[in-house]
Amino acid sequence: MNTKKLAALAAGVTLVMGLAACGGDGAGGSGGGGGGTEGGGETTTEGGGTVGVAMPTQSSERWIADGANVKEQLEALGYQVDLQYAEDDIPTQVNQIDNMITQGVDALIIASIDGTALTNQLESAAENGIPVIAYDRLIRDSENVDYYTTFDNYKVGQQQATSLLVGLGLLNEDESEGDATGPFNIELFAGSPDDNNATFFFNGAMDVLQPLIDGGTLVVKSGQTDFNTVATLRWDPATAQSRMENLLTSTYSDGSRVDAVLSPYDGLSIGIIGALTGTGYASDDLPIISGQDAEVGSVKSILAGEQFATIYKDTRELAAATVELVDTLLKGETPEGLDTTTYDNGVKIVPSIQLTPYIIYTDNVQELLVDSGYWTAEELGI
Protein backbone atom coordinates (compact mmCIF):
# COMPACT_ATOMS: atom_id res chain seq x y z
CA MET A 1 0.00 0.00 0.00
CA ASN A 2 1.15 3.52 -0.76
CA THR A 3 0.18 4.67 2.72
CA LYS A 4 2.38 2.03 4.28
CA LYS A 5 5.37 3.10 2.21
CA LEU A 6 4.71 6.70 3.12
CA ALA A 7 4.53 5.89 6.80
CA ALA A 8 7.91 4.21 6.57
CA LEU A 9 9.41 7.28 4.99
CA ALA A 10 7.79 9.56 7.54
CA ALA A 11 9.24 7.54 10.36
CA GLY A 12 12.71 8.19 8.96
CA VAL A 13 13.98 5.63 6.49
CA THR A 14 17.47 4.30 6.87
CA LEU A 15 20.07 5.20 4.28
CA VAL A 16 20.04 1.73 2.81
CA MET A 17 16.27 1.60 2.54
CA GLY A 18 16.17 5.08 1.06
CA LEU A 19 18.67 4.16 -1.65
CA ALA A 20 16.85 0.97 -2.44
CA ALA A 21 13.54 2.79 -2.70
CA CYS A 22 14.92 5.51 -4.93
CA GLY A 23 16.70 3.42 -7.52
CA GLY A 24 18.42 5.23 -10.38
CA ASP A 25 21.19 7.79 -10.38
CA GLY A 26 22.28 9.97 -7.51
CA ALA A 27 22.95 13.67 -7.48
CA GLY A 28 26.07 13.32 -9.55
CA GLY A 29 24.42 11.17 -12.16
CA SER A 30 21.42 13.45 -12.62
CA GLY A 31 23.05 16.84 -12.22
CA GLY A 32 23.39 17.47 -15.94
CA GLY A 33 19.72 16.88 -16.65
CA GLY A 34 18.12 19.41 -14.35
CA GLY A 35 14.88 20.86 -15.62
CA GLY A 36 13.97 24.08 -17.35
CA THR A 37 15.33 27.59 -17.30
CA GLU A 38 14.07 30.91 -15.99
CA GLY A 39 10.69 31.71 -17.45
CA GLY A 40 10.36 28.32 -19.13
CA GLY A 41 10.47 24.66 -18.19
CA GLU A 42 9.71 21.37 -19.82
CA THR A 43 6.52 19.33 -19.84
CA THR A 44 6.39 15.65 -20.64
CA THR A 45 3.66 14.26 -22.86
CA GLU A 46 3.01 10.80 -21.47
CA GLY A 47 1.15 9.59 -18.42
CA GLY A 48 -1.97 10.78 -16.62
CA GLY A 49 -2.08 13.80 -14.33
CA THR A 50 0.31 16.73 -14.39
CA VAL A 51 2.45 17.87 -11.48
CA GLY A 52 3.95 21.34 -11.32
CA VAL A 53 7.41 21.46 -9.74
CA ALA A 54 8.76 24.92 -8.79
CA MET A 55 12.44 24.98 -7.83
CA PRO A 56 14.38 28.08 -6.69
CA THR A 57 17.55 28.09 -8.78
CA GLN A 58 19.93 26.19 -10.99
CA SER A 59 22.95 27.96 -9.51
CA SER A 60 23.23 25.21 -6.87
CA GLU A 61 24.08 21.58 -7.66
CA ARG A 62 21.68 20.59 -4.93
CA TRP A 63 18.57 22.12 -6.55
CA ILE A 64 19.47 20.79 -9.99
CA ALA A 65 19.62 17.30 -8.49
CA ASP A 66 16.34 17.79 -6.60
CA GLY A 67 14.48 18.88 -9.71
CA ALA A 68 15.89 16.07 -11.82
CA ASN A 69 15.14 13.41 -9.20
CA VAL A 70 11.55 14.55 -8.61
CA LYS A 71 10.88 14.78 -12.34
CA GLU A 72 12.38 11.40 -13.12
CA GLN A 73 10.52 9.62 -10.35
CA LEU A 74 7.16 11.23 -11.18
CA GLU A 75 7.55 10.34 -14.84
CA ALA A 76 8.35 6.75 -13.86
CA LEU A 77 4.87 6.62 -12.31
CA GLY A 78 3.27 8.01 -15.49
CA TYR A 79 2.79 11.65 -14.50
CA GLN A 80 3.51 14.61 -16.73
CA VAL A 81 5.86 17.11 -15.10
CA ASP A 82 6.15 20.87 -15.53
CA LEU A 83 9.52 21.65 -13.94
CA GLN A 84 10.50 25.30 -13.55
CA TYR A 85 13.52 27.09 -12.07
CA ALA A 86 13.21 30.75 -11.05
CA GLU A 87 16.90 31.63 -10.58
CA ASP A 88 16.21 33.04 -7.11
CA ASP A 89 13.89 35.72 -8.49
CA ILE A 90 10.65 35.93 -6.50
CA PRO A 91 8.43 37.49 -9.22
CA THR A 92 9.60 34.83 -11.67
CA GLN A 93 8.61 32.03 -9.30
CA VAL A 94 5.27 33.70 -8.61
CA ASN A 95 4.56 33.88 -12.36
CA GLN A 96 5.65 30.29 -12.90
CA ILE A 97 3.28 29.00 -10.22
CA ASP A 98 0.45 31.20 -11.55
CA ASN A 99 0.97 29.64 -14.98
CA MET A 100 1.00 26.12 -13.58
CA ILE A 101 -2.33 26.75 -11.85
CA THR A 102 -3.82 28.31 -15.00
CA GLN A 103 -2.70 25.32 -17.04
CA GLY A 104 -4.51 23.01 -14.63
CA VAL A 105 -1.83 21.00 -12.87
CA ASP A 106 -3.14 18.34 -10.49
CA ALA A 107 -0.60 18.99 -7.73
CA LEU A 108 2.13 21.50 -6.89
CA ILE A 109 5.54 20.80 -5.40
CA ILE A 110 7.16 24.08 -4.37
CA ALA A 111 10.66 24.79 -3.08
CA SER A 112 10.05 28.46 -2.41
CA ILE A 113 12.51 31.33 -2.72
CA ASP A 114 10.64 33.42 -0.17
CA GLY A 115 8.39 31.34 2.06
CA THR A 116 6.02 34.27 2.65
CA ALA A 117 5.56 35.51 -0.93
CA LEU A 118 3.09 32.96 -2.33
CA THR A 119 -0.13 33.64 -0.42
CA ASN A 120 -2.23 34.57 -3.46
CA GLN A 121 -0.96 31.62 -5.49
CA LEU A 122 -1.75 29.21 -2.66
CA GLU A 123 -5.26 30.62 -2.35
CA SER A 124 -5.75 30.07 -6.07
CA ALA A 125 -4.44 26.52 -5.79
CA ALA A 126 -6.88 25.79 -2.95
CA GLU A 127 -9.79 27.24 -4.92
CA ASN A 128 -8.90 24.91 -7.79
CA GLY A 129 -8.50 21.85 -5.57
CA ILE A 130 -4.75 21.57 -6.18
CA PRO A 131 -2.81 20.09 -3.25
CA VAL A 132 0.39 21.97 -2.37
CA ILE A 133 3.50 20.24 -1.04
CA ALA A 134 6.24 22.51 0.32
CA TYR A 135 9.53 20.92 -0.69
CA ASP A 136 12.33 21.25 1.89
CA ARG A 137 11.50 24.92 2.49
CA LEU A 138 8.41 25.55 4.59
CA ILE A 139 5.95 28.02 3.07
CA ARG A 140 4.81 30.35 5.82
CA ASP A 141 1.73 32.36 6.80
CA SER A 142 -0.79 30.42 4.72
CA GLU A 143 -3.41 27.83 5.60
CA ASN A 144 -3.21 26.53 2.03
CA VAL A 145 -0.02 24.51 2.46
CA ASP A 146 -1.13 20.90 2.63
CA TYR A 147 2.10 19.02 3.33
CA TYR A 148 5.80 19.57 3.88
CA THR A 149 8.60 17.17 2.93
CA THR A 150 12.02 17.87 4.37
CA PHE A 151 14.89 16.64 6.50
CA ASP A 152 15.16 17.07 10.26
CA ASN A 153 16.35 20.67 9.97
CA TYR A 154 16.91 21.25 13.68
CA LYS A 155 19.11 18.17 13.70
CA VAL A 156 21.01 19.53 10.67
CA GLY A 157 21.95 22.57 12.76
CA GLN A 158 22.94 20.40 15.69
CA GLN A 159 25.11 18.31 13.39
CA GLN A 160 26.80 21.38 11.93
CA ALA A 161 27.71 22.56 15.41
CA THR A 162 28.82 19.06 16.40
CA SER A 163 31.15 18.91 13.40
CA LEU A 164 32.82 22.11 14.59
CA LEU A 165 33.37 20.67 18.05
CA VAL A 166 34.84 17.53 16.51
CA GLY A 167 37.18 19.60 14.39
CA LEU A 168 38.29 21.61 17.41
CA GLY A 169 38.93 18.43 19.40
CA LEU A 170 36.26 19.17 21.99
CA LEU A 171 34.41 16.07 20.80
CA ASN A 172 35.42 12.88 19.03
CA GLU A 173 33.52 11.72 15.94
CA ASP A 174 31.50 9.34 18.13
CA GLU A 175 30.56 12.49 20.14
CA SER A 176 32.43 11.38 23.22
CA GLU A 177 34.44 14.06 25.00
CA GLY A 178 37.68 15.08 23.29
CA ASP A 179 40.98 16.20 24.75
CA ALA A 180 40.85 19.91 23.80
CA THR A 181 39.83 22.52 26.35
CA GLY A 182 39.83 25.86 24.54
CA PRO A 183 39.06 28.68 24.60
CA PHE A 184 38.51 28.90 20.83
CA ASN A 185 37.43 31.88 18.74
CA ILE A 186 34.36 31.15 16.64
CA GLU A 187 32.27 33.21 14.20
CA LEU A 188 28.68 32.48 13.21
CA PHE A 189 26.91 32.57 9.85
CA ALA A 190 23.25 31.80 9.19
CA GLY A 191 21.18 31.28 6.06
CA SER A 192 18.67 33.51 4.33
CA PRO A 193 16.18 35.20 6.68
CA ASP A 194 13.32 34.56 4.23
CA ASP A 195 13.95 30.79 4.31
CA ASN A 196 12.23 29.17 7.27
CA ASN A 197 14.85 26.41 7.32
CA ALA A 198 17.57 28.92 8.13
CA THR A 199 16.16 29.55 11.59
CA PHE A 200 15.89 25.81 12.29
CA PHE A 201 19.52 25.31 11.26
CA PHE A 202 20.69 28.23 13.37
CA ASN A 203 18.62 27.36 16.43
CA GLY A 204 19.77 23.74 16.25
CA ALA A 205 23.40 24.84 16.05
CA MET A 206 23.04 27.28 18.93
CA ASP A 207 21.42 24.56 21.02
CA VAL A 208 24.84 22.87 20.91
CA LEU A 209 27.11 25.94 20.88
CA GLN A 210 25.42 28.32 23.35
CA PRO A 211 26.36 26.42 26.54
CA LEU A 212 30.00 26.44 25.44
CA ILE A 213 29.79 30.14 24.59
CA ASP A 214 28.24 30.87 27.98
CA GLY A 215 30.97 28.85 29.67
CA GLY A 216 33.80 30.57 27.83
CA THR A 217 35.04 27.52 25.92
CA LEU A 218 33.92 29.20 22.69
CA VAL A 219 34.34 32.94 22.20
CA VAL A 220 32.46 34.87 19.50
CA LYS A 221 35.09 37.60 19.31
CA SER A 222 33.01 39.86 17.04
CA GLY A 223 30.07 39.70 19.45
CA GLN A 224 27.75 38.93 16.53
CA THR A 225 25.42 36.17 17.69
CA ASP A 226 21.94 37.41 16.74
CA PHE A 227 20.31 35.57 13.83
CA ASN A 228 19.36 38.73 11.96
CA THR A 229 22.93 40.00 12.23
CA VAL A 230 24.58 36.83 10.97
CA ALA A 231 21.96 35.87 8.34
CA THR A 232 22.99 35.75 4.67
CA LEU A 233 20.27 36.91 2.25
CA ARG A 234 19.52 34.43 -0.55
CA TRP A 235 22.30 32.18 0.74
CA ASP A 236 24.69 34.24 -1.38
CA PRO A 237 28.36 33.12 -1.24
CA ALA A 238 29.62 36.58 -2.22
CA THR A 239 27.72 38.12 0.70
CA ALA A 240 29.25 35.58 3.09
CA GLN A 241 32.73 36.21 1.70
CA SER A 242 32.34 39.97 2.12
CA ARG A 243 31.09 39.61 5.70
CA MET A 244 33.96 37.26 6.58
CA GLU A 245 36.45 39.76 5.14
CA ASN A 246 34.87 42.51 7.24
CA LEU A 247 35.05 40.35 10.37
CA LEU A 248 38.72 39.65 9.80
CA THR A 249 39.45 43.35 9.31
CA SER A 250 37.35 44.62 12.20
CA THR A 251 37.91 41.93 14.80
CA TYR A 252 41.06 39.96 14.03
CA SER A 253 43.49 42.66 12.87
CA ASP A 254 45.22 42.34 16.25
CA GLY A 255 46.80 39.10 15.10
CA SER A 256 44.32 36.80 16.85
CA ARG A 257 43.02 33.77 14.98
CA VAL A 258 39.60 32.49 14.01
CA ASP A 259 39.47 28.87 15.12
CA ALA A 260 36.07 27.86 13.75
CA VAL A 261 33.27 29.21 11.54
CA LEU A 262 29.68 28.00 11.65
CA SER A 263 28.58 27.92 8.02
CA PRO A 264 25.10 26.55 7.25
CA TYR A 265 25.65 25.82 3.52
CA ASP A 266 28.51 24.67 1.29
CA GLY A 267 28.23 27.67 -1.01
CA LEU A 268 28.76 30.01 1.94
CA SER A 269 31.64 27.83 3.12
CA ILE A 270 33.45 28.30 -0.18
CA GLY A 271 32.99 32.09 0.10
CA ILE A 272 34.23 32.05 3.70
CA ILE A 273 37.30 30.05 2.69
CA GLY A 274 37.95 32.57 -0.08
CA ALA A 275 37.91 35.41 2.45
CA LEU A 276 40.26 33.56 4.80
CA THR A 277 42.83 32.57 2.19
CA GLY A 278 42.64 36.05 0.70
CA THR A 279 43.67 37.58 4.01
CA GLY A 280 46.60 35.34 4.85
CA TYR A 281 45.27 32.02 6.13
CA ALA A 282 47.06 29.10 4.50
CA SER A 283 44.82 26.58 2.72
CA ASP A 284 46.25 23.80 4.89
CA ASP A 285 45.78 25.75 8.13
CA LEU A 286 42.22 27.05 7.95
CA PRO A 287 39.69 27.33 10.77
CA ILE A 288 37.26 24.44 11.26
CA ILE A 289 34.39 25.18 8.85
CA SER A 290 31.03 23.43 8.62
CA GLY A 291 28.66 23.20 5.65
CA GLN A 292 25.57 21.55 4.18
CA ASP A 293 24.46 19.74 1.01
CA ALA A 294 27.61 17.75 0.20
CA GLU A 295 28.17 19.65 -3.04
CA VAL A 296 31.07 18.42 -5.18
CA GLY A 297 33.21 21.50 -4.63
CA SER A 298 32.92 21.28 -0.87
CA VAL A 299 33.46 17.53 -0.72
CA LYS A 300 36.65 18.05 -2.71
CA SER A 301 37.53 20.82 -0.27
CA ILE A 302 37.00 18.43 2.65
CA LEU A 303 39.22 15.83 1.02
CA ALA A 304 41.85 18.53 0.46
CA GLY A 305 41.83 19.42 4.16
CA GLU A 306 40.17 22.83 3.75
CA GLN A 307 36.47 22.70 4.70
CA PHE A 308 36.17 20.34 7.66
CA ALA A 309 32.71 18.82 7.26
CA THR A 310 29.35 19.08 5.52
CA ILE A 311 25.85 17.70 6.08
CA TYR A 312 24.63 15.12 3.60
CA LYS A 313 20.92 15.17 2.79
CA ASP A 314 20.15 12.52 0.19
CA THR A 315 17.96 14.34 -2.32
CA ARG A 316 16.97 10.99 -3.82
CA GLU A 317 15.28 10.10 -0.52
CA LEU A 318 13.51 13.45 -0.40
CA ALA A 319 12.35 13.09 -3.98
CA ALA A 320 11.09 9.56 -3.29
CA ALA A 321 9.16 10.67 -0.20
CA THR A 322 7.63 13.62 -2.04
CA VAL A 323 6.69 11.60 -5.11
CA GLU A 324 5.16 8.90 -2.92
CA LEU A 325 3.10 11.56 -1.14
CA VAL A 326 1.89 13.12 -4.42
CA ASP A 327 1.01 9.70 -5.82
CA THR A 328 -0.92 8.83 -2.67
CA LEU A 329 -2.91 12.08 -2.83
CA LEU A 330 -3.69 11.89 -6.54
CA LYS A 331 -4.90 8.32 -6.13
CA GLY A 332 -7.39 9.60 -3.57
CA GLU A 333 -5.71 7.84 -0.67
CA THR A 334 -4.93 9.27 2.76
CA PRO A 335 -1.29 9.65 3.79
CA GLU A 336 -0.41 8.16 7.16
CA GLY A 337 2.42 8.41 9.68
CA LEU A 338 3.12 12.12 9.22
CA ASP A 339 4.66 14.47 11.79
CA THR A 340 1.85 16.77 12.94
CA THR A 341 3.62 18.67 15.71
CA THR A 342 6.93 20.10 14.49
CA TYR A 343 6.38 22.61 11.69
CA ASP A 344 4.18 25.61 12.48
CA ASN A 345 4.06 27.99 9.50
CA GLY A 346 2.46 30.77 11.53
CA VAL A 347 -1.08 29.77 10.64
CA LYS A 348 -1.18 26.01 11.03
CA ILE A 349 0.89 22.96 11.83
CA VAL A 350 1.81 21.58 8.41
CA PRO A 351 1.84 17.76 8.29
CA SER A 352 5.38 16.77 7.39
CA ILE A 353 7.80 14.03 6.47
CA GLN A 354 11.24 14.38 8.07
CA LEU A 355 14.21 12.42 6.73
CA THR A 356 17.60 11.81 8.30
CA PRO A 357 20.72 13.91 7.59
CA TYR A 358 24.30 12.69 8.05
CA ILE A 359 27.61 14.41 8.89
CA ILE A 360 30.30 13.98 6.23
CA TYR A 361 33.92 13.93 7.37
CA THR A 362 36.95 12.97 5.31
CA ASP A 363 36.84 9.38 6.53
CA ASN A 364 33.23 8.61 5.53
CA VAL A 365 33.09 10.25 2.07
CA GLN A 366 33.64 6.88 0.39
CA GLU A 367 30.99 5.04 2.41
CA LEU A 368 28.20 7.61 2.41
CA LEU A 369 28.67 9.44 -0.86
CA VAL A 370 30.52 7.16 -3.28
CA ASP A 371 29.38 3.68 -2.26
CA SER A 372 25.79 4.93 -2.18
CA GLY A 373 26.09 6.28 -5.72
CA TYR A 374 25.34 9.86 -4.73
CA TRP A 375 28.60 11.03 -6.31
CA THR A 376 31.10 9.01 -8.31
CA ALA A 377 34.75 8.69 -7.40
CA GLU A 378 35.58 10.42 -10.68
CA GLU A 379 33.38 13.41 -9.83
CA LEU A 380 35.12 13.77 -6.49
CA GLY A 381 38.57 13.19 -7.94
CA ILE A 382 39.32 10.12 -5.82
Side-chain angles (χ1 to χ4, degrees):
M1 291 291 291
N2 288 326
T3 52
K4 290 181 180 178
K5 294 179 186 176
L6 187 63
L9 284 165
V13 295
T14 64
L15 180 62
V16 174
M17 289 179 64
L19 296 177
C22 294
D25 293 335
S30 62
T37 58
E38 180 176 349
E42 51 185 307
T43 305
T44 63
T45 56
E46 62 184 273
T50 300
V51 180
V53 181
M55 291 283 161
T57 180
Q58 292 187 101
S59 66
S60 166
E61 293 167 354
R62 181 266 159 94
W63 292 116
I64 293 172
D66 278 277
N69 286 327
V70 169
K71 181 175 184 292
E72 179 182 359
Q73 293 180 38
L74 282 168
E75 288 176 341
L77 293 177
Y79 293 101
Q80 299 179 48
V81 181
D82 184 0
L83 171 63
Q84 303 278 347
Y85 287 86
E87 302 314 322
D88 275 334
D89 183 70
I90 296 168
T92 296
Q93 186 168 68
V94 167
N95 289 335
Q96 289 171 344
I97 295 170
D98 278 333
N99 289 336
M100 291 175 184
I101 294 169
T102 299
Q103 292 166 10
V105 298
D106 297 287
L108 281 168
I109 298 170
I110 301 173
S112 61
I113 298 168
D114 182 338
T116 64
L118 300 173
T119 302
N120 292 338
Q121 287 64 44
L122 299 184
E123 288 179 358
S124 180
E127 290 169 358
N128 286 276
I130 301 170
V132 174
I133 295 90
Y135 185 93
D136 204 38
R137 291 181 172 180
L138 184 61
I139 300 172
R140 295 194 54 81
D141 301 331
S142 173
E143 64 180 354
N144 299 311
V145 184
D146 298 293
Y147 299 97
Y148 179 36
T149 57
T150 190
F151 291 84
D152 185 337
N153 294 315
Y154 196 83
K155 184 175 182 178
V156 167
Q158 291 177 316
Q159 289 177 326
Q160 288 171 339
T162 297
S163 73
L164 294 185
L165 302 186
V166 170
L168 291 171
L170 293 166
L171 292 178
N172 299 311
E173 283 191 21
D174 63 4
E175 299 187 26
S176 61
E177 186 175 349
D179 296 328
T181 57
F184 297 106
N185 291 329
I186 184 172
E187 295 297 336
L188 311 174
F189 283 73
S192 190
D194 55 11
D195 180 349
N196 189 74
N197 285 0
T199 57
F200 275 89
F201 301 148
F202 188 72
N203 290 340
M206 294 307 287
D207 178 48
V208 174
L209 298 177
Q210 192 66 57
L212 295 174
I213 293 171
D214 293 342
T217 302
L218 300 178
V219 178
V220 183
K221 197 165 183 286
S222 69
Q224 297 180 12
T225 60
D226 177 70
F227 173 82
N228 291 326
T229 302
V230 305
T232 311
L233 185 64
R234 300 283 184 272
W235 301 90
D236 181 43
T239 300
Q241 181 165 348
S242 177
R243 178 168 173 261
M244 189 73 236
E245 290 169 347
N246 290 336
L247 286 172
L248 293 170
T249 300
S250 64
T251 307
Y252 294 89
S253 58
D254 60 359
S256 57
R257 175 181 172 82
V258 184
D259 297 305
V261 181
L262 175 69
S263 170
Y265 160 56
D266 285 347
L268 303 191
S269 307
I270 296 298
I272 290 164
I273 290 171
L276 290 161
T277 56
T279 53
Y281 284 76
S283 60
D284 61 352
D285 190 30
L286 289 166
I288 304 303
I289 302 170
S290 61
Q292 180 179 190
D293 285 345
E295 294 190 346
V296 165
S298 281
V299 177
K300 287 182 175 180
S301 182
I302 290 169
L303 293 171
E306 299 168 344
Q307 184 173 323
F308 183 72
T310 188
I311 304 302
Y312 166 47
K313 304 190 305 186
D314 193 334
T315 57
R316 296 166 298 180
E317 287 191 30
L318 185 59
T322 306
V323 168
E324 187 69 38
L325 175 58
V326 169
D327 190 48
T328 297
L329 295 172
L330 294 186
K331 286 179 177 176
E333 300 173 2
T334 301
E336 297 178 351
L338 303 183
D339 180 323
T340 56
T341 61
T342 302
Y343 289 105
D344 186 342
N345 77 346
V347 175
K348 62 184 282 190
I349 302 294
V350 182
S352 65
I353 296 172
Q354 292 192 85
L355 302 179
T356 303
Y358 301 87
I359 304 176
I360 297 294
Y361 300 110
T362 301
D363 58 8
N364 63 7
V365 166
Q366 179 71 38
E367 176 188 359
L368 292 184
L369 298 181
V370 178
D371 292 350
S372 72
Y374 195 77
W375 296 118
T376 67
E378 290 75 19
E379 285 167 323
L380 299 179
I382 57 177

